[in-house]
């Protein structure tokens, strides 16, 4: 982390996807490290244990309520993340537009 945070200039955002078993101490150590080296860098809530500068929802979760909080929803374009040769269940353009509208109407960023 120190190399990433010190060798590449200003970093605007770090998107963590830590395992559920990360301890509060480990989350705090990561958070404090990022902020000490890149104080303006945003950190998503997947750093764990209630930390983060904004909320990153569970995968494919579409919040129902409007919020003024900073929230993003990671929603796939098919069933999986990354390339999978067997996953050809792509959402059509109208479905993606519908998801985007649903999220935007609730103040949620579509990741």
């Amino acid at each position: 982390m120190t190399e990433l945070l010190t060798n590449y200039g200003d970093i605007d955002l770090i998107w963590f996807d830590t395992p559920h078993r990360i301890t509060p101490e480990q989350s705090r150590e990561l958070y404090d490290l990022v902020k000490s080296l890149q104080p303006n860098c945003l950190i998503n809530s997947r750093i764990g244990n209630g930390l983060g500068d904004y909320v990153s929802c569970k995968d494919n979760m579409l919040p129902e309520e409007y919020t003024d909080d900073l929230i993003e929803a990671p929603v796939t374009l098919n069933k999986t993340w990354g390339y999978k040769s067997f996953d050809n269940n792509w959402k059509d353009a109208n479905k993606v537009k519908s998801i985007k509208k649903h999220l935007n109407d609730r103040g949620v960023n579509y990741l």
Side-chain angles (χ1 to χ4, degrees):
M1 287 300 306
T2 299
E3 178 183 344
L4 292 172
L5 295 166
T6 58
N7 289 350
Y8 302 98
D10 290 341
I11 298 185
D12 295 319
L13 184 142
I14 298 257
W15 201 89
F16 286 98
D17 201 12
T18 58
H20 295 284
R21 63 182 177 266
I22 190 169
T23 67
E25 295 79 18
Q26 290 168 321
S27 294
R28 172 54 65 190
E29 182 180 358
L30 277 172
Y31 186 88
D32 289 347
L33 176 65
V34 172
K35 292 301 184 175
S36 72
L37 298 173
Q38 295 275 347
N40 296 320
C41 182
L42 292 173
I43 301 170
N44 72 326
S45 63
R46 290 188 182 198
I47 196 169
N49 298 295
L51 294 175
D53 300 315
Y54 69 96
V55 174
S56 186
C57 296
K58 294 179 182 178
D59 291 355
N60 293 305
M61 181 182 133
L62 299 175
E64 289 301 322
E65 301 297 322
Y66 179 84
T67 181
D68 285 324
D69 295 334
L70 297 175
I71 296 182
E72 68 183 4
V75 181
T76 60
L77 296 176
N78 53 11
K79 294 286 187 188
T80 58
W81 291 106
Y83 173 75
K84 302 283 190 308
S85 63
F86 56 84
D87 185 1
N88 293 307
N89 191 19
W90 296 99
K91 294 174 176 86
D92 64 37
N94 286 330
K95 179 65 175 175
V96 173
K97 284 172 51 177
S98 171
I99 291 168
K100 185 176 185 323
K101 179 174 179 2
H102 176 94
L103 295 171
N104 286 347
D105 287 349
R106 286 153 183 81
V108 177
N109 183 55
Y110 189 168
L111 174 66

